Amino acid sequence: MDKFKELTSRINFDDPYNVQGHRAIYDHVVHLLRVRKTSPDTSSLAPCLVFYAARNILSPSFILGQIPDLLNFLSAIETFRRFAVLKSDEALEWQKFYEREQSDERTEDVRLLTTDEVCTLRCFLDIKDAQRREYILLVRRLIQLYLHYLWLAPQSCLFLKELNDIFPGSLQGIDSVKASEYLFHVDLSEDERGYFKQFRTECGKWLNTVVDWTIKRKETCRKEGLSEADMEASFVDDFLRAFPPPCNPPDMARDVQTYMNKVEDIVRTLEEWFLPSS
């Protein structure tokens, strides 16, 4: 946190947006996550840092080229949520224990949770499966949007490398042993692994369809007497007509924000209730 305090101290938040200052904070969070890429452990990473960095990608405008970082931020945020749910369950178990021991003198200094607090923690448990499904769907949609964006991006030459990093071993002739840089792989259940295996197949079929379309388009354009420059000039428009974006980026950003806000509310609630005051 010392590094974070140092970086934030350099920014006057009342002034217009300080691009370099905010970028330094963002890069710091990316570094912290990358050194943890072999483990879902985020215990020493302050949630506020990750929420901040994720929102820097989503607003003021959604930066599609940074979806890989956003996916890792979301994986960290999902880890915060799962940890909060675990602690909520533990708190409710302690509540039951001390309710049974009310007559014991050892419980005199123990403050039991209020009825509203118990209801709130039970709600966190009740919605945990739905929120997990929400997270998995967001990961899927973000991958779809990123692959679509990458096909037209200046760094499109890295498409196959990125695809293989998202789904290790999906392409022959590309290193399948190297661990993925994407943290969402770390804590998937068996059912979720099967879900993403099927999704990998769908992405492969989409890639084959795009490649076939590109070849046929080139042949058609040549028959029509179009030059390479003409074909290049109309490629983006033709591609978007044939393959519209899988979702509207502003809508995607809104849905990610909605999920993040839910998790942030859970995390803040537990911090306010159970963290020792400094």
Side-chain angles (χ1 to χ4, degrees), residues 210-226:
V210 170
V211 171
D212 288 343
W213 172 85
T214 302
I215 294 172
K216 292 177 181 177
R217 174 185 177 274
K218 194 169 187 177
E219 292 173 350
T220 300
C221 288
R222 283 176 174 171
K223 290 180 181 178
E224 294 175 354
L226 296 179

Side-chain angles (χ1 to χ4, degrees), residues 6 9 49 72 91 112 130 146 177 190 207 209 225 237 240 249 259:
E6 175 190 344
S9 67
L49 286 177
N72 282 342
L112 294 178
Y146 180 60
V177 178
E190 286 302 313
L207 174 60
T209 301
D237 290 339
L240 292 176
Y259 161 81

Side-chain angles (χ1 to χ4, degrees), residues 16 24 32 40 94 99 102 110 117 154 196 201 223 239 255:
L32 292 176
W94 280 113
E99 284 177 341
Q102 279 282 6
V110 176
E117 288 170 343
F196 277 103
T201 301
K223 290 180 181 178
F239 177 83
D255 293 344

Side-chain angles (χ1 to χ4, degrees), residues 28-57:
H28 177 57
V29 179
V30 171
H31 168 73
L32 292 176
L33 278 180
R34 283 178 178 168
V35 298
R36 292 167 174 78
K37 66 183 180 182
T38 58
S39 170
D41 177 32
T42 56
S43 58
S44 61
L45 183 61
C48 62
L49 286 177
V50 182
F51 286 113
Y52 166 86
R55 290 189 172 111
N56 253 16
I57 295 175

Side-chain angles (χ1 to χ4, degrees), residues 26 34 57 63-73 146 149 162 166 181-183:
Y26 174 88
R34 283 178 178 168
I57 295 175
I63 307 172
L64 301 183
Q66 291 180 241
I67 286 178
D69 285 340
L70 180 60
L71 284 166
N72 282 342
F73 295 152
Y146 180 60
Y149 154 82
E162 286 292 314
I166 296 171
E181 296 285 338
Y182 290 87
L183 298 176

Side-chain angles (χ1 to χ4, degrees), residues 111 117 264-277:
R111 184 188 79 81
E117 288 170 343
E264 191 172 34
D265 180 61
I266 295 173
V267 171
R268 283 181 173 175
T269 297
L270 295 189
E271 287 179 341
E272 291 172 0
W273 290 0
F274 298 117
L275 281 186
S277 58

Side-chain angles (χ1 to χ4, degrees), residues 144-153 156 159 206-207 209-214 217 231-246:
Q144 287 178 313
L145 185 58
Y146 180 60
L147 292 178
H148 184 276
Y149 154 82
L150 191 58
W151 191 262
L152 298 176
S156 59
F159 185 94
W206 180 83
L207 174 60
T209 301
V210 170
V211 171
D212 288 343
W213 172 85
T214 302
R217 174 185 177 274
M231 284 188 277
E232 183 67 23
S234 62
F235 180 81
V236 172
D237 290 339
D238 291 347
F239 177 83
L240 292 176
R241 278 194 293 270
F243 304 97

